[in-house]
Amino acid sequence: MADLFSTAAGAVGVVSLSLQLLGGCIKGFVLLSTAQNLGKDASTIVCMLELQEIQLTEWARRAGLLTDDAVLDRRLNGRAVEETLLHLQKLLLDTEQLKTKYGLWLKPQANNNQQTTTALRAASLSEIQRVFTSISDETRRQIMTRAEGAQEQNIFKQLWWAAVDKEKIKKLVGDVHFLVRGLWHLLDPWRHDDLLNSITAMAANIVTLNNRFDQLTSLHEALNALRGTLSILPDASLKTLAVSAEVKALRVGLGDDDQEQSLGQKFNAPKRQELLQRLERLSRLRLMNFKSMKKHETMGLADYGEQRVFVEWKHLNPSLRSKILPRVENLAALLNVPKDQTFRSLSCKGIVEEDGKVSFVFDHPFPSCPEEPRSLLELFSAKDGLEPPSLSDRIRLALQIVRTVQNFHRAGWLHKSLRSENILFFPTNNASTVTCISDPVLAGFNFARFDSPTEISEQPSAGPGHDIYRHPSAMGEPSLNFSALMDVYSLGTVMLEIAEWRALRYIVDSVVDVGAENVPLSKLAGVQEFLLSGRGKGGTSKLRTKMGNIFTSVCLMCLGGKVEEENLSQDGRFEPQGSLLDVAVQRLKSCNI
């Protein structure tokens, strides 16, 4: 008796079988994701399915099936590809198997005319419910049209879920992913890594595209569900993106100053006070014994009851209290959300307001040994045995910091005070001092705010020692409205410090003396031009020799505020589109020292 593969192979020519099967798989995704009666979890379920379809389509692009000749790359194991696609097609299209194996019952909708893919999607979910996943109906149509016999596959009769359950759908999606990942592993290592980077960038873009609370909540649930099902994932990208979606949903739910826009985005969001309930209600009477860090009076350790905590405080302008205090509460709620290791920030317990200032109270990361942290700025001149780190350690440190800023920006937050004194290192358990730079923590959120043009922008404290880290447009009164690229510029200055392993004030001392009295703004504004100069005695003139081409390109991108060489990596390969920080992370990850 012929097996299923032999039967399918006999139905079409061997050359076109892979494309034919791919068209069948896409048809299956269309039918499942547009079937009606999914219930309250519709948006999450459709998002899970469409994420898998994106991964299959991107694999097909690298396997040669979406090229002009639509021929499978001869370097791939054709038999294995066709067998895998056949099993995937059966999994998606065999309604009897869906019923018996997964308890999912699909049947044609009564009195329903046949429709195109676009019409089906429009009917399956309202625009308010749908998560934007960048699924292209045109790409779907082209794949099915080019597949043999696909002219009949472009017209569908809509299906209806007679029985559906999110947990059972998760099991189905897990099996679908197992087969899609099997196709991934048939690629050579270079294209496999390229595909992984592309999928990660596309998923990150999905977080960026969605701006409503209901969309982001569904996306968070979909990514978390996939994480639980897909234990074979080689990296933590899904976890990071799930947290980014959750943090961004919180940011949208808390709202901003633009009430009209905020109300449109907060569809189905809980009331603001419900979102703030995660914070502890702290008493100012229990916060005692604050001791500031060296050269950093607004940060330090304190006691809250019997617990040792880390505290950051800021002055509260009485005339702006009604505007600033809600922002402080919003920021505390953001910093309270459980995050993965790429969000390198402390967990905020709550806030305390007293005597014209407000304090953020954080859990100490090592409660059994709550030692005082040291800043990156302090470590540059440490004399107590911490040797300058290796090139590998410095690149790794830069990547960790860039990733942290990337995550906060993706969630819709600006830091506004990025500099080396706000990057902290806590002594680990049983250590009295910092012994390595493997675990940085981003602090100094006093002036952080939503990334919104309507948000009031507090002016950070003046001082040449801080201003040299700021973009020229962020200095002076009045300054331009703070933007993400201004944070990115400050990030570039920190990267330069890490490369030189010395404070920025010494790197720019030929341009501006930050210790002088009455430093003119024109001198401070000239720091960017000096740092971008890679010749003579320019600030980055020695960077390429010390850190290599990739690190240098990323640092210059941050300082200049634009991606160089039209998104080409150092070896000429095309990089996935994304924000400047997305490109920066991909390049730094490619550094192997």
Side-chain angles (χ1 to χ4, degrees):
M1 181 177 177
D3 61 19
L4 189 61
F5 175 77
S6 301
T7 303
V12 295
V14 173
V15 174
S16 62
L17 180 57
S18 294
L19 182 59
Q20 172 74 15
L21 293 170
L22 176 66
C25 294
I26 297 300
K27 178 182 179 180
F29 277 117
V30 171
L31 290 173
L32 292 182
S33 62
T34 59
Q36 293 192 325
N37 197 40
L38 278 170
K40 63 183 180 65
D41 297 314
S43 186
T44 301
I45 291 171
V46 170
C47 183
M48 291 168 61
L49 290 167
E50 291 190 347
L51 288 172
Q52 294 307 307
E53 184 182 348
I54 287 172
Q55 294 188 36
L56 176 64
T57 303
E58 287 302 304
W59 167 85
R61 199 181 307 280
R62 284 155 183 80
L65 294 178
L66 303 189
T67 58
D68 290 340
D69 56 7
V71 174
L72 184 70
D73 191 317
R74 296 183 182 278
R75 291 172 293 180
L76 300 181
N77 185 330
R79 174 85 178 193
V81 166
E82 290 158 359
E83 285 183 330
T84 305
L85 286 172
L86 182 63
H87 286 298
L88 181 58
Q89 177 184 264
K90 180 175 174 58
L91 191 62
L92 295 168
L93 288 177
D94 190 336
T95 55
E96 187 60 34
Q97 179 176 257
L98 290 174
K99 183 178 179 180
T100 56
K101 184 175 181 180
Y102 301 100
L104 303 170
W105 185 10
L106 273 170
K107 63 180 183 180
Q109 194 161 333
N111 301 320
N112 185 32
N113 296 325
Q114 292 184 327
Q115 303 179 63
T116 63
T117 302
T118 303
L120 281 179
R121 285 189 87 218
S124 62
L125 286 173
S126 71
E127 284 304 308
I128 285 182
Q129 293 171 311
R130 180 175 294 281
V131 175
F132 297 128
T133 59
S134 302
I135 283 283
S136 169
D137 289 330
E138 178 61 20
T139 300
R140 285 171 160 175
R141 186 192 64 78
Q142 290 179 1
I143 291 174
M144 290 187 289
T145 297
R146 297 178 71 179
E148 185 175 336
Q151 288 81 0
E152 300 176 358
Q153 295 179 2
N154 279 304
I155 303 298
F156 304 89
K157 191 173 181 68
Q158 188 162 36
L159 299 179
W160 182 74
W161 291 99
V164 65
D165 179 87
K166 186 168 71 171
E167 293 304 313
K168 295 174 181 177
I169 286 280
K170 284 168 60 176
K171 185 177 186 302
L172 169 64
V173 172
D175 290 345
V176 168
H177 178 82
F178 179 81
L179 293 173
V180 173
R181 272 297 168 122
L183 294 169
W184 282 33
H185 291 309
L186 294 175
L187 297 172
D188 58 71
W190 179 85
R191 282 184 295 176
H192 180 277
D193 291 345
D194 175 58
L195 177 58
L196 181 60
N197 290 335
S198 178
I199 293 297
T200 302
M202 293 177 73
N205 191 49
I206 292 172
V207 177
T208 303
L209 282 174
N210 289 277
N211 293 304
R212 290 196 301 263
F213 185 87
D214 60 320
Q215 293 172 325
L216 291 162
T217 301
S218 293
L219 180 58
H220 170 250
E221 291 175 356
L223 291 170
N224 256 345
L226 291 173
R227 278 185 54 220
T229 305
L230 315 179
S231 58
I232 59 172
L233 269 177
D235 67 341
S237 58
L238 276 184
K239 181 179 181 180
T240 299
L241 292 170
V243 173
S244 294
E246 180 183 18
V247 172
K248 188 174 180 181
L250 175 62
R251 171 250 184 273
V252 170
L254 292 169
D256 57 31
D257 291 340
D258 187 341
Q259 293 300 317
E260 182 177 350
Q261 179 189 33
S262 181
L263 287 173
Q265 293 180 340
K266 292 174 67 173
F267 184 83
N268 282 345
K271 293 181 179 179
R272 181 173 179 273
Q273 289 304 315
E274 292 181 39
L275 295 173
L276 294 176
Q277 286 179 357
R278 300 181 183 184
L279 297 173
E280 294 183 32
R281 297 178 63 88
L282 303 182
S283 167
R284 60 184 178 84
L285 299 177
R286 300 189 67 193
L287 186 63
M288 301 177 292
N289 303 325
F290 174 77
K291 180 182 179 183
S292 65
M293 294 173 56
K294 297 176 182 177
K295 301 180 181 180
H296 213 319
E297 66 173 8
T298 63
M299 295 183 187
L301 298 182
D303 294 319
Y304 186 79
E306 298 180 356
Q307 183 181 359
R308 197 69 168 154
V309 294
F310 182 77
V311 173
E312 287 188 41
W313 64 266
K314 63 181 289 183
H315 289 292
L316 199 57
N317 187 331
S319 64
L320 294 176
R321 183 184 180 279
S322 62
K323 282 281 188 182
I324 301 304
L325 191 59
R327 177 187 296 175
V328 169
E329 293 173 335
N330 292 349
L331 177 59
L334 165 76
L335 296 173
N336 176 266
V337 175
K339 304 175 185 69
D340 77 325
Q341 61 182 0
T342 65
F343 277 85
R344 294 188 168 274
S345 61
L346 299 176
S347 176
C348 185
K349 292 169 65 68
I351 60 172
V352 170
E353 184 183 1
E354 182 180 16
D355 298 332
K357 65 182 183 182
V358 61
S359 299
F360 296 91
V361 181
F362 297 91
D363 291 320
H364 195 288
F366 301 104
S368 63
C369 185
E371 297 291 338
E372 179 180 301
R374 300 176 73 177
S375 71
L376 178 60
L377 180 63
E378 184 183 353
L379 294 184
F380 290 145
S381 56
K383 304 295 184 182
D384 55 358
L386 183 66
E387 297 292 331
S390 68
L391 177 60
S392 298
D393 287 343
R394 278 180 283 162
I395 291 176
R396 192 176 300 112
L397 173 62
L399 174 59
Q400 291 172 324
I401 296 169
V402 172
R403 262 186 171 152
T404 298
V405 178
Q406 175 197 38
N407 287 334
F408 279 102
H409 280 196
R410 187 181 289 149
W413 280 84
L414 303 176
H415 187 278
K416 293 189 64 181
S417 298
L418 286 170
R419 54 182 181 268
S420 51
E421 72 173 339
N422 286 333
I423 297 167
L424 308 180
F425 300 86
F426 286 80
T428 56
N429 290 327
N430 302 318
S432 59
T433 188
V434 175
T435 57
C436 67
I437 59 168
S438 62
D439 196 14
V441 170
L442 183 60
F445 285 95
N446 289 352
F447 297 97
R449 66 166 176 81
F450 290 159
D451 185 3
S452 169
T454 63
E455 274 280 303
I456 182 174
S457 195
E458 293 178 273
Q459 191 73 15
S461 58
H466 292 173
D467 285 339
I468 56 175
Y469 293 91
R470 295 189 183 119
H471 191 279
S473 299
M475 292 186 283
E477 290 282 3
S479 62
L480 294 180
N481 194 58
F482 198 90
S483 69
L485 283 180
M486 295 179 186
D487 257 355
V488 172
Y489 171 80
S490 300
L491 186 60
T493 64
V494 174
M495 287 187 64
L496 183 57
E497 286 184 307
I498 291 172
E500 296 280 351
W501 204 247
R502 58 183 178 137
L504 186 63
R505 62 180 298 166
Y506 301 116
I507 299 175
V508 303
D509 59 4
S510 64
V511 178
V512 58
D513 180 4
V514 300
E517 294 184 11
N518 302 319
V519 178
L521 191 61
S522 59
K523 287 279 190 181
L524 293 166
V527 169
Q528 182 187 31
E529 182 180 356
F530 171 74
L531 294 181
L532 285 170
S533 174
R535 297 180 179 179
K537 295 184 179 180
T540 52
S541 59
K542 299 178 181 178
L543 189 57
R544 202 171 299 275
T545 303
K546 289 185 174 182
M547 302 298 291
N549 290 337
I550 296 177
F551 187 98
T552 300
S553 73
V554 173
C555 187
L556 291 175
M557 277 197 313
C558 293
L559 293 172
K562 59 182 180 181
V563 178
E564 299 175 332
E565 301 173 10
E566 299 182 345
N567 248 24
L568 288 178
S569 65
Q570 295 300 306
D571 57 6
R573 286 183 288 168
F574 181 76
E575 291 179 333
Q577 292 287 342
S579 71
L580 189 153
L581 289 182
D582 293 335
V583 176
V585 166
Q586 289 304 322
R587 291 193 182 180
L588 289 175
K589 283 172 62 179
S590 70
C591 289
N592 296 308
I593 305 297

